[in-house]
Amino acid sequence: MPAAAHADDVSGTDTPHVDESYFADEGVFVAQAARTLSTFDGWVANNENRYIDMDGAYGAQCWDLWENYCLYVIGTSGISTQFSPHRGYAIALWDGFAFNGAADYFIQISASSVPQKGDVAIWQYGSYLPYSHVAMVISDAGPNVYCFTQNPGPSVKQYLSKQGLAGYLRPIRNNVPSPTIKSAADLLAVDPYGVLWNYPASGNGRFGARIQIGPGWGNMVTGWTVDWNGNGIFDVVAKWNDGSLRLYRGQADGGFDSYQSIGVGWQSMQIAPSRFIRSNGLPGMLAKDSSGSLWYYTNSSGAALTTAGKTQVGWNWGAWNILPMDFNADGNQDVVAIDSSNAMRLYRGDGTGAWLGSGQIGSGWTFISVASSAGFAGRGTRSLVGTGWKGYRIFNSQRLD
Protein backbone atom coordinates (compact mmCIF):
# COMPACT_ATOMS: atom_id res chain seq x y z
CA MET A 1 0.00 0.00 0.00
CA PRO A 2 1.37 3.47 -0.82
CA ALA A 3 2.15 5.79 2.07
CA ALA A 4 -0.67 8.12 3.08
CA ALA A 5 -0.59 11.29 1.04
CA HIS A 6 -0.75 14.77 2.53
CA ALA A 7 -3.13 16.67 0.27
CA ASP A 8 -3.28 20.18 1.74
CA ASP A 9 -6.42 21.96 0.60
CA VAL A 10 -4.80 25.37 0.31
CA SER A 11 -3.94 28.01 -2.23
CA GLY A 12 -1.15 29.67 -0.28
CA THR A 13 -3.37 31.78 1.98
CA ASP A 14 -6.05 31.09 4.58
CA THR A 15 -8.98 32.32 2.49
CA PRO A 16 -12.32 30.62 1.69
CA HIS A 17 -12.25 28.41 -1.37
CA VAL A 18 -15.90 28.49 -2.50
CA ASP A 19 -17.73 31.13 -4.53
CA GLU A 20 -21.40 30.40 -3.81
CA SER A 21 -22.61 32.89 -6.40
CA TYR A 22 -22.19 29.84 -8.65
CA PHE A 23 -25.43 28.51 -7.15
CA ALA A 24 -27.36 31.50 -8.52
CA ASP A 25 -26.93 30.16 -12.07
CA GLU A 26 -30.37 28.69 -12.78
CA GLY A 27 -28.84 26.61 -15.55
CA VAL A 28 -27.17 24.49 -12.89
CA PHE A 29 -30.55 23.40 -11.58
CA VAL A 30 -32.23 23.07 -14.97
CA ALA A 31 -29.44 20.77 -16.11
CA GLN A 32 -29.68 18.83 -12.88
CA ALA A 33 -33.39 18.12 -13.34
CA ALA A 34 -32.87 16.70 -16.83
CA ARG A 35 -29.68 14.75 -16.12
CA THR A 36 -29.35 10.98 -15.94
CA LEU A 37 -27.24 10.31 -12.85
CA SER A 38 -23.97 8.40 -13.05
CA THR A 39 -22.84 5.47 -10.93
CA PHE A 40 -20.00 6.17 -8.51
CA ASP A 41 -17.54 4.00 -10.46
CA GLY A 42 -18.55 5.59 -13.76
CA TRP A 43 -18.16 9.08 -12.31
CA VAL A 44 -14.66 8.29 -11.00
CA ALA A 45 -13.61 6.84 -14.37
CA ASN A 46 -14.93 9.89 -16.24
CA ASN A 47 -13.15 12.41 -14.00
CA GLU A 48 -9.83 10.79 -13.12
CA ASN A 49 -6.82 13.07 -13.83
CA ARG A 50 -9.10 16.01 -14.65
CA TYR A 51 -9.07 19.44 -13.01
CA ILE A 52 -12.64 20.11 -11.79
CA ASP A 53 -13.50 23.79 -11.21
CA MET A 54 -17.26 24.10 -10.75
CA ASP A 55 -17.49 27.69 -9.45
CA GLY A 56 -14.81 29.20 -11.69
CA ALA A 57 -13.00 30.61 -8.65
CA TYR A 58 -9.86 29.72 -6.68
CA GLY A 59 -8.91 26.98 -9.16
CA ALA A 60 -9.60 23.26 -8.82
CA GLN A 61 -10.34 22.87 -5.09
CA CYS A 62 -11.53 19.83 -3.17
CA TRP A 63 -14.96 21.48 -2.88
CA ASP A 64 -15.31 21.53 -6.68
CA LEU A 65 -14.97 17.74 -6.82
CA TRP A 66 -17.60 17.42 -4.07
CA GLU A 67 -19.99 19.70 -5.96
CA ASN A 68 -19.46 17.70 -9.16
CA TYR A 69 -20.15 14.48 -7.23
CA CYS A 70 -23.37 15.92 -5.79
CA LEU A 71 -24.54 17.13 -9.18
CA TYR A 72 -23.73 14.06 -11.28
CA VAL A 73 -24.08 11.16 -8.81
CA ILE A 74 -26.36 12.32 -5.96
CA GLY A 75 -28.62 14.60 -8.01
CA THR A 76 -28.42 17.84 -6.06
CA SER A 77 -26.55 21.14 -5.96
CA GLY A 78 -26.32 24.13 -3.65
CA ILE A 79 -25.36 22.56 -0.31
CA SER A 80 -24.03 25.65 1.44
CA THR A 81 -20.72 26.20 3.22
CA GLN A 82 -22.00 29.27 5.12
CA PHE A 83 -23.34 27.60 8.29
CA SER A 84 -20.02 27.13 10.06
CA PRO A 85 -17.30 29.03 11.94
CA HIS A 86 -15.15 28.31 8.82
CA ARG A 87 -17.36 29.57 6.03
CA GLY A 88 -16.27 28.68 2.54
CA TYR A 89 -14.23 25.65 3.63
CA ALA A 90 -14.87 21.93 3.27
CA ILE A 91 -15.46 21.46 7.03
CA ALA A 92 -18.57 23.63 6.71
CA LEU A 93 -20.27 20.73 4.91
CA TRP A 94 -19.98 18.84 8.23
CA ASP A 95 -20.40 21.69 10.75
CA GLY A 96 -23.49 23.06 9.03
CA PHE A 97 -25.13 19.70 8.29
CA ALA A 98 -28.34 20.53 10.19
CA PHE A 99 -28.86 23.76 8.24
CA ASN A 100 -27.19 23.53 4.81
CA GLY A 101 -29.49 21.04 3.06
CA ALA A 102 -27.13 18.07 3.18
CA ALA A 103 -29.50 16.15 5.47
CA ASP A 104 -31.91 15.73 2.56
CA TYR A 105 -29.33 13.56 0.74
CA PHE A 106 -26.87 12.24 3.34
CA ILE A 107 -26.62 10.97 6.90
CA GLN A 108 -23.65 11.71 9.15
CA ILE A 109 -21.39 8.80 10.12
CA SER A 110 -18.80 9.11 12.90
CA ALA A 111 -15.09 9.14 12.07
CA SER A 112 -14.62 5.89 14.02
CA SER A 113 -17.01 4.01 11.70
CA VAL A 114 -15.84 1.96 8.72
CA PRO A 115 -16.41 3.97 5.53
CA GLN A 116 -18.11 2.56 2.43
CA LYS A 117 -17.72 3.25 -1.27
CA GLY A 118 -19.54 6.48 -2.11
CA ASP A 119 -19.22 7.98 1.37
CA VAL A 120 -17.87 11.52 1.62
CA ALA A 121 -14.88 11.92 3.96
CA ILE A 122 -14.42 15.33 5.61
CA TRP A 123 -11.36 16.43 7.58
CA GLN A 124 -11.38 19.00 10.38
CA TYR A 125 -10.09 22.55 9.99
CA GLY A 126 -6.63 22.97 11.54
CA SER A 127 -5.86 19.26 11.82
CA TYR A 128 -4.00 16.85 9.54
CA LEU A 129 -5.11 18.87 6.52
CA PRO A 130 -4.69 22.50 7.65
CA TYR A 131 -7.70 24.17 6.03
CA SER A 132 -9.95 21.06 6.00
CA HIS A 133 -10.59 18.75 3.07
CA VAL A 134 -13.34 16.72 1.41
CA ALA A 135 -12.89 13.58 -0.70
CA MET A 136 -15.05 10.70 -1.93
CA VAL A 137 -14.40 7.24 -0.46
CA ILE A 138 -13.44 4.33 -2.71
CA SER A 139 -12.72 1.90 0.13
CA ASP A 140 -11.52 1.63 3.70
CA ALA A 141 -7.78 1.10 4.18
CA GLY A 142 -7.26 0.65 7.93
CA PRO A 143 -5.58 3.83 9.25
CA ASN A 144 -6.11 5.42 5.83
CA VAL A 145 -9.02 6.01 3.47
CA TYR A 146 -8.63 5.19 -0.23
CA CYS A 147 -10.27 8.22 -1.82
CA PHE A 148 -11.03 10.02 -5.04
CA THR A 149 -9.61 13.44 -4.21
CA GLN A 150 -8.52 16.74 -5.71
CA ASN A 151 -6.03 19.46 -4.66
CA PRO A 152 -3.16 19.58 -4.88
CA GLY A 153 -3.24 18.49 -8.51
CA PRO A 154 -6.08 16.95 -10.51
CA SER A 155 -8.68 14.42 -9.39
CA VAL A 156 -6.88 11.18 -8.49
CA LYS A 157 -7.22 8.00 -6.45
CA GLN A 158 -5.13 8.42 -3.32
CA TYR A 159 -4.62 7.08 0.21
CA LEU A 160 -5.30 9.75 2.86
CA SER A 161 -4.74 9.33 6.59
CA LYS A 162 -7.77 9.18 8.88
CA GLN A 163 -5.97 11.55 11.24
CA GLY A 164 -8.12 14.65 11.76
CA LEU A 165 -11.29 13.18 10.23
CA ALA A 166 -14.52 14.91 11.27
CA GLY A 167 -16.60 12.04 9.88
CA TYR A 168 -18.36 10.78 6.78
CA LEU A 169 -21.50 11.77 4.89
CA ARG A 170 -23.27 8.66 3.59
CA PRO A 171 -25.70 9.05 0.67
CA ILE A 172 -29.32 8.17 1.31
CA ARG A 173 -30.39 5.64 -1.31
CA ASN A 174 -34.05 5.45 -2.26
CA ASN A 175 -34.07 1.65 -2.38
CA VAL A 176 -33.05 1.35 1.27
CA PRO A 177 -35.74 1.50 4.00
CA SER A 178 -35.32 4.59 6.12
CA PRO A 179 -35.20 5.17 9.90
CA THR A 180 -38.36 6.06 11.81
CA ILE A 181 -37.10 9.56 12.69
CA LYS A 182 -35.87 11.12 9.47
CA SER A 183 -35.23 14.72 10.42
CA ALA A 184 -34.01 16.85 13.32
CA ALA A 185 -37.14 18.92 12.75
CA ASP A 186 -39.54 16.04 13.47
CA LEU A 187 -41.47 16.38 16.73
CA LEU A 188 -42.12 13.41 19.02
CA ALA A 189 -44.82 13.50 21.68
CA VAL A 190 -46.41 11.14 24.19
CA ASP A 191 -50.19 11.57 24.39
CA PRO A 192 -52.28 11.34 27.61
CA TYR A 193 -52.74 7.60 26.99
CA GLY A 194 -49.01 6.84 26.88
CA VAL A 195 -48.76 6.44 23.10
CA LEU A 196 -45.64 7.83 21.40
CA TRP A 197 -46.22 9.68 18.11
CA ASN A 198 -43.94 11.20 15.48
CA TYR A 199 -45.07 14.45 13.81
CA PRO A 200 -42.84 14.63 10.69
CA ALA A 201 -41.77 18.15 9.73
CA SER A 202 -42.62 19.29 6.21
CA GLY A 203 -39.77 21.84 6.08
CA ASN A 204 -42.05 24.86 5.73
CA GLY A 205 -43.04 25.43 9.35
CA ARG A 206 -45.73 22.75 9.41
CA PHE A 207 -46.08 19.10 10.38
CA GLY A 208 -47.37 16.23 8.29
CA ALA A 209 -49.80 13.55 9.43
CA ARG A 210 -48.65 12.00 12.70
CA ILE A 211 -47.26 8.45 12.74
CA GLN A 212 -47.68 6.13 15.72
CA ILE A 213 -44.44 4.71 17.09
CA GLY A 214 -45.93 2.68 19.93
CA PRO A 215 -47.75 2.50 23.29
CA GLY A 216 -46.33 2.01 26.78
CA TRP A 217 -44.68 5.40 27.29
CA GLY A 218 -46.96 6.59 30.12
CA ASN A 219 -44.22 6.59 32.78
CA MET A 220 -41.78 8.62 30.72
CA VAL A 221 -40.99 12.02 32.25
CA THR A 222 -39.14 13.58 29.33
CA GLY A 223 -37.35 12.42 26.20
CA TRP A 224 -35.11 13.43 23.33
CA THR A 225 -34.28 12.26 19.82
CA VAL A 226 -30.53 12.38 19.24
CA ASP A 227 -27.86 10.37 17.41
CA TRP A 228 -26.36 9.06 20.64
CA ASN A 229 -23.74 6.72 19.13
CA GLY A 230 -22.76 8.70 16.02
CA ASN A 231 -23.95 6.22 13.37
CA GLY A 232 -26.11 8.73 11.52
CA ILE A 233 -29.47 7.38 12.79
CA PHE A 234 -31.64 9.15 15.35
CA ASP A 235 -32.09 7.31 18.64
CA VAL A 236 -34.46 7.99 21.54
CA VAL A 237 -33.15 8.79 25.02
CA ALA A 238 -35.86 8.86 27.71
CA LYS A 239 -35.94 9.65 31.42
CA TRP A 240 -38.53 7.61 33.33
CA ASN A 241 -40.35 8.43 36.56
CA ASP A 242 -38.12 6.04 38.55
CA GLY A 243 -35.07 8.15 37.62
CA SER A 244 -33.71 5.68 35.08
CA LEU A 245 -32.29 6.82 31.76
CA ARG A 246 -32.97 4.55 28.78
CA LEU A 247 -31.52 4.46 25.28
CA TYR A 248 -33.59 3.12 22.36
CA ARG A 249 -31.27 2.77 19.38
CA GLY A 250 -32.81 3.64 16.01
CA GLN A 251 -32.63 0.98 13.30
CA ALA A 252 -31.60 1.84 9.74
CA ASP A 253 -34.71 0.19 8.28
CA GLY A 254 -37.13 1.66 10.82
CA GLY A 255 -38.08 0.93 14.42
CA PHE A 256 -35.92 0.80 17.53
CA ASP A 257 -33.94 -1.78 19.49
CA SER A 258 -35.06 -2.83 22.95
CA TYR A 259 -33.96 -0.26 25.49
CA GLN A 260 -30.54 -0.18 27.12
CA SER A 261 -30.15 1.37 30.57
CA ILE A 262 -27.59 4.17 30.42
CA GLY A 263 -28.07 5.68 33.88
CA VAL A 264 -30.01 5.62 37.17
CA GLY A 265 -30.74 8.12 39.92
CA TRP A 266 -31.68 11.09 37.72
CA GLN A 267 -34.98 11.86 39.51
CA SER A 268 -33.97 15.29 40.83
CA MET A 269 -31.98 16.37 37.76
CA GLN A 270 -33.21 18.37 34.79
CA ILE A 271 -31.25 16.94 31.89
CA ALA A 272 -30.85 17.33 28.12
CA PRO A 273 -28.44 15.85 25.54
CA SER A 274 -25.88 18.32 24.25
CA ARG A 275 -22.55 18.36 22.47
CA PHE A 276 -21.45 21.16 24.76
CA ILE A 277 -17.79 20.20 24.40
CA ARG A 278 -17.28 19.61 20.68
CA SER A 279 -14.01 17.73 20.98
CA ASN A 280 -15.77 14.86 22.78
CA GLY A 281 -17.14 13.61 19.46
CA LEU A 282 -20.42 12.17 20.75
CA PRO A 283 -23.22 14.10 22.45
CA GLY A 284 -23.14 14.08 26.24
CA MET A 285 -25.66 15.24 28.82
CA LEU A 286 -26.21 18.64 30.41
CA ALA A 287 -27.73 18.24 33.87
CA LYS A 288 -29.01 20.80 36.39
CA ASP A 289 -29.23 19.53 39.97
CA SER A 290 -31.55 20.64 42.78
CA SER A 291 -29.03 23.25 43.99
CA GLY A 292 -28.97 24.98 40.58
CA SER A 293 -25.50 23.72 39.59
CA LEU A 294 -25.05 22.83 35.93
CA TRP A 295 -22.98 19.76 34.99
CA TYR A 296 -21.84 18.18 31.75
CA TYR A 297 -21.45 14.38 31.47
CA THR A 298 -19.38 13.14 28.54
CA ASN A 299 -20.50 10.17 26.47
CA SER A 300 -17.36 8.29 25.50
CA SER A 301 -18.89 5.04 24.26
CA GLY A 302 -22.27 5.83 22.71
CA ALA A 303 -23.83 3.92 25.60
CA ALA A 304 -23.96 4.48 29.39
CA LEU A 305 -22.95 7.72 31.11
CA THR A 306 -20.49 7.67 34.02
CA THR A 307 -19.47 10.17 36.69
CA ALA A 308 -15.86 9.90 35.44
CA GLY A 309 -16.65 12.40 32.71
CA LYS A 310 -18.57 14.82 34.94
CA THR A 311 -17.59 18.52 34.72
CA GLN A 312 -19.25 21.51 36.36
CA VAL A 313 -20.07 24.21 33.80
CA GLY A 314 -22.41 26.54 35.73
CA TRP A 315 -23.78 27.74 39.07
CA ASN A 316 -26.94 29.42 40.38
CA TRP A 317 -29.33 28.29 37.62
CA GLY A 318 -32.11 27.95 40.19
CA ALA A 319 -35.44 26.66 38.90
CA TRP A 320 -34.74 27.70 35.31
CA ASN A 321 -35.64 25.38 32.46
CA ILE A 322 -32.67 24.67 30.17
CA LEU A 323 -32.74 23.90 26.45
CA PRO A 324 -29.45 23.23 24.58
CA MET A 325 -29.28 24.21 20.90
CA ASP A 326 -26.94 25.90 18.42
CA PHE A 327 -28.91 29.13 18.48
CA ASN A 328 -26.63 31.28 16.30
CA ALA A 329 -25.39 28.53 13.92
CA ASP A 330 -21.70 28.95 14.79
CA GLY A 331 -21.22 25.22 15.29
CA ASN A 332 -21.18 25.45 19.11
CA GLN A 333 -23.94 24.41 21.48
CA ASP A 334 -25.62 27.22 23.41
CA VAL A 335 -28.21 27.05 26.18
CA VAL A 336 -31.58 28.77 26.03
CA ALA A 337 -33.10 29.14 29.50
CA ILE A 338 -36.56 30.19 30.67
CA ASP A 339 -36.37 31.84 34.08
CA SER A 340 -38.96 32.11 36.86
CA SER A 341 -40.50 35.24 35.27
CA ASN A 342 -40.99 33.38 31.94
CA ALA A 343 -38.24 35.46 30.31
CA MET A 344 -36.07 33.62 27.79
CA ARG A 345 -32.31 34.07 27.98
CA LEU A 346 -29.52 32.92 25.67
CA TYR A 347 -26.17 31.69 27.05
CA ARG A 348 -23.67 31.30 24.21
CA GLY A 349 -21.21 28.40 24.44
CA ASP A 350 -17.72 28.43 22.93
CA GLY A 351 -17.54 24.69 22.21
CA THR A 352 -14.97 23.99 24.94
CA GLY A 353 -17.24 24.05 28.00
CA ALA A 354 -17.01 27.81 28.63
CA TRP A 355 -19.46 30.66 28.04
CA LEU A 356 -19.16 33.65 25.70
CA GLY A 357 -21.92 35.81 27.20
CA SER A 358 -25.65 36.00 27.81
CA GLY A 359 -28.68 38.16 27.17
CA GLN A 360 -32.47 38.16 27.18
CA ILE A 361 -34.04 37.12 23.86
CA GLY A 362 -37.73 36.87 24.74
CA SER A 363 -40.48 37.14 27.32
CA GLY A 364 -43.86 35.59 28.07
CA TRP A 365 -42.79 31.99 27.50
CA THR A 366 -45.64 30.30 29.37
CA PHE A 367 -46.05 27.36 26.97
CA ILE A 368 -46.55 23.96 28.55
CA SER A 369 -43.73 22.52 26.40
CA VAL A 370 -40.91 24.10 24.41
CA ALA A 371 -38.66 22.14 22.03
CA SER A 372 -35.69 23.12 19.87
CA SER A 373 -35.75 22.26 16.18
CA ALA A 374 -33.28 22.48 13.28
CA GLY A 375 -34.83 22.97 9.83
CA PHE A 376 -38.48 23.19 10.96
CA ALA A 377 -39.16 26.38 8.98
CA GLY A 378 -36.91 25.40 6.05
CA ARG A 379 -33.30 24.77 5.16
CA GLY A 380 -30.88 26.58 7.46
CA THR A 381 -33.46 27.62 10.07
CA ARG A 382 -33.28 27.15 13.82
CA SER A 383 -36.54 27.21 15.74
CA LEU A 384 -38.11 27.00 19.17
CA VAL A 385 -41.44 25.20 18.98
CA GLY A 386 -43.80 26.02 21.84
CA THR A 387 -47.00 24.07 22.37
CA GLY A 388 -49.92 24.17 24.71
CA TRP A 389 -50.91 20.56 24.04
CA LYS A 390 -52.26 19.81 27.48
CA GLY A 391 -51.40 16.29 28.61
CA TYR A 392 -48.77 15.77 25.88
CA ARG A 393 -45.07 15.42 26.73
CA ILE A 394 -42.95 16.85 23.91
CA PHE A 395 -39.55 15.46 22.96
CA ASN A 396 -36.63 17.68 22.02
CA SER A 397 -35.34 16.70 18.61
CA GLN A 398 -31.76 17.86 18.09
CA ARG A 399 -28.98 17.66 15.52
CA LEU A 400 -25.86 17.86 17.66
CA ASP A 401 -23.14 18.65 15.09
Side-chain angles (χ1 to χ4, degrees):
M1 180 186 300
H6 188 118
D8 291 339
D9 191 18
V10 299
S11 297
T13 58
D14 183 8
T15 56
H17 300 138
V18 179
D19 179 3
E20 292 200 354
S21 63
Y22 154 83
F23 295 144
D25 179 4
E26 293 185 4
V28 170
F29 299 98
V30 172
Q32 172 192 328
R35 181 176 294 114
T36 299
L37 298 179
S38 174
T39 64
F40 179 81
D41 290 340
W43 173 77
V44 170
N46 289 336
N47 289 285
E48 191 169 8
N49 295 315
R50 291 181 57 204
Y51 288 89
I52 309 296
D53 184 6
M54 299 296 289
D55 59 0
Y58 311 109
Q61 298 289 322
C62 64
W63 175 89
D64 294 286
L65 189 63
W66 145 268
E67 171 64 12
N68 190 277
Y69 176 62
C70 285
L71 195 59
Y72 288 92
V73 179
I74 304 301
T76 188
S77 177
I79 294 175
S80 179
T81 59
Q82 298 303 299
F83 300 98
S84 167
H86 304 293
R87 297 181 180 182
Y89 289 90
I91 187 59
L93 301 171
W94 180 268
D95 288 343
F97 184 84
F99 314 112
N100 61 16
D104 293 336
Y105 302 94
F106 300 89
I107 58 175
Q108 284 187 309
I109 304 295
S110 68
S112 61
S113 299
V114 177
Q116 302 174 4
K117 180 191 287 187
D119 286 355
V120 179
I122 300 174
W123 281 262
Q124 294 278 11
Y125 186 96
S127 59
Y128 163 69
L129 301 168
Y131 298 137
S132 75
H133 190 67
V134 59
M136 275 44 73
V137 174
I138 298 173
S139 64
D140 183 53
N144 301 324
V145 187
Y146 189 39
C147 292
F148 193 53
T149 182
Q150 177 172 272
N151 191 25
S155 301
V156 294
K157 298 174 182 177
Q158 195 171 57
Y159 290 92
L160 298 178
S161 171
K162 290 180 180 177
Q163 180 183 345
L165 264 176
Y168 306 96
L169 301 185
R170 180 161 296 165
I172 298 170
R173 294 175 173 83
N174 293 333
N175 62 344
V176 177
S178 58
T180 297
I181 306 169
K182 298 175 176 61
S183 167
D186 288 3
L187 185 70
L188 268 66
V190 178
D191 70 17
Y193 304 100
V195 178
L196 179 61
W197 298 87
N198 182 25
Y199 295 78
S202 62
N204 60 0
R206 298 178 181 275
F207 293 111
R210 71 179 186 175
I211 301 168
Q212 181 174 324
I213 293 178
W217 292 80
N219 291 326
M220 188 207 74
V221 177
T222 186
W224 309 267
T225 61
V226 58
D227 182 7
W228 189 249
N229 59 351
N231 68 347
I233 300 171
F234 279 111
D235 311 306
V236 168
V237 173
K239 175 184 169 183
W240 291 75
N241 59 5
D242 62 358
S244 64
L245 201 59
R246 299 178 181 179
L247 168 65
Y248 301 79
R249 297 189 189 277
Q251 299 176 355
D253 56 354
F256 299 88
D257 291 341
S258 298
Y259 80 82
Q260 173 186 354
S261 177
I262 60 172
V264 295
W266 295 84
Q267 291 96 323
S268 63
M269 307 278 276
Q270 185 190 352
I271 58 179
S274 172
R275 197 174 165 198
F276 193 61
I277 300 176
R278 293 187 64 186
S279 61
N280 292 155
L282 296 172
M285 190 72 71
L286 271 178
K288 181 173 66 68
D289 64 23
S290 57
S291 71
S293 294
L294 194 63
W295 304 87
Y296 183 67
Y297 293 78
T298 58
N299 165 23
S300 60
S301 64
L305 295 168
T306 67
T307 56
K310 178 181 176 181
T311 304
Q312 188 164 8
V313 295
W315 297 262
N316 300 321
W317 286 72
W320 294 10
N321 293 315
I322 58 171
L323 185 65
M325 64 182 297
D326 182 5
F327 189 85
N328 56 352
D330 65 352
N332 299 319
Q333 286 275 295
D334 311 306
V335 172
V336 172
I338 301 174
D339 66 20
S340 56
S341 67
N342 296 319
M344 181 174 287
R345 302 184 64 85
L346 170 65
Y347 292 81
R348 293 176 54 219
D350 71 350
T352 70
W355 304 98
L356 294 174
S358 65
Q360 184 171 336
I361 57 173
S363 59
W365 282 83
T366 57
F367 293 97
I368 294 174
S369 295
V370 180
S372 63
S373 175
F376 175 67
R379 180 181 295 185
T381 62
R382 301 162 302 284
S383 307
L384 290 169
V385 180
T387 173
W389 292 355
K390 188 174 182 179
Y392 280 72
R393 281 154 287 170
I394 307 300
F395 279 53
N396 264 301
S397 187
Q398 299 183 20
R399 175 76 65 181
L400 302 173
D401 302 316

